[in-house]
Amino acid sequence: MASSQNRSDRLFEVMEVLKDGQLHRAEDLATRLSVSLRTIYRDMKTLADSGVAIEGERGTGYRAKAALTLPPLNLTEEELEALHVGLAVVGAGMEGGLRKAAESLSAKIDAVLPEEVGGVVAGFGFATYPFEGTAQALPHLTPLRTAIRAKQKLRVNQRDESAQDVRPLKLEYWGRVWTLTVWDETHSDFAQIRVDQITQLAPLPGLFVEEPGKSLQDFLAKSRS
């Protein structure tokens, strides 16, 4: 049975139903939300794994225990990126309670994040993708943004020991990783580079100007074709 809601809306509605403290049968929730019983079981596991205070089990019912809740928030991609950066720093640099709190917060965000972020299906962070690797991208973000604005050619060295001379065109955030879209002068083609795989950036002499076939607009047109 297909749901007419997206995942984040459905999870939020489940939480709203359970907040009354009463016991709710999975069958009743499935009927109310027009989804299958299996979907309800999966949603309950997702919420529980994300730290939402739920008690109950299959065959008896579910209810929410008292917990701090926040009103719904609408975040821009930049705000989500800022939140991700903060959690990446805490996750990579802290131990004990703060790291565990960052992991729990990341999992909660992962549970309610829309199915598509930045145009691709992606989760937020700790759940399945190591934050340590993501955090390695952080030092490169400012120099990459500067190079894009200045149209500065770069030499990019990566963890696989490859090196490319590139024209940086666009920096994008995809929920867990940053990617850099470039015109790769070494291979005369467009490429997308994972920023967390970059080991070194070096500016090359001279700036570049847009040329037919090498611009971001050309890359976007090629991607749509």
Side-chain angles (χ1 to χ4, degrees), residues 12 15-16 18-19 52-53 64-73 108:
F12 179 73
M15 292 169 63
E16 286 294 294
L18 297 180
K19 275 196 327 186
V52 178
K65 296 183 287 186
L68 177 64
T69 60
L70 296 174
L73 297 174
K108 290 178 181 179

Side-chain angles (χ1 to χ4, degrees), residues 19-192:
K19 275 196 327 186
D20 64 7
Q22 302 299 311
L23 201 64
H24 295 271
R25 297 191 315 148
E27 292 85 351
D28 296 335
L29 290 171
T31 299
R32 177 168 180 164
L33 299 175
S34 300
V35 296
S36 68
L37 197 58
R38 177 179 293 183
T39 295
I40 293 297
Y41 291 148
R42 186 169 61 244
D43 286 350
M44 290 304 169
K45 184 177 186 306
T46 297
L47 291 172
D49 289 346
S50 300
V52 178
I54 293 177
E55 58 184 9
E57 58 185 17
R58 298 186 186 190
T60 59
Y62 301 90
R63 64 185 168 196
K65 296 183 287 186
L68 177 64
T69 60
L70 296 174
L73 297 174
N74 293 318
L75 301 180
T76 65
E77 288 191 12
E78 289 77 14
E79 289 168 339
L80 186 61
E81 180 179 351
L83 183 57
H84 178 81
V85 170
L87 288 175
V89 171
V90 173
M94 298 293 183
E95 296 293 339
L98 276 178
R99 177 177 173 83
K100 290 180 180 178
E103 292 173 349
S104 176
L105 177 56
S106 177
K108 290 178 181 179
I109 295 169
D110 214 9
V112 297
L113 207 60
E115 296 288 355
E116 294 191 1
V117 175
V120 297
V121 176
F124 187 74
F126 277 90
T128 57
Y129 190 85
F131 248 132
E132 290 78 3
T134 306
Q136 291 170 358
L138 302 183
H140 303 308
L141 298 181
T142 296
L144 285 174
R145 290 190 175 105
T146 300
I148 291 170
R149 288 194 296 267
K151 297 187 182 299
Q152 174 70 60
K153 293 182 181 181
L154 298 171
R155 177 158 295 161
V156 177
N157 294 85
Q158 299 187 61
R159 297 190 183 282
D160 61 3
E161 300 186 354
S162 64
Q164 300 160 267
D165 292 348
V166 304
R167 301 181 180 197
L169 301 177
K170 186 177 183 181
L171 188 63
E172 293 180 281
Y173 173 65
W174 298 93
R176 293 183 191 169
V177 297
W178 288 267
T179 60
L180 177 68
T181 300
V182 302
W183 171 258
D184 182 353
E185 298 201 334
T186 303
H187 301 97
S188 298
D189 199 1
F190 292 106
Q192 289 190 298

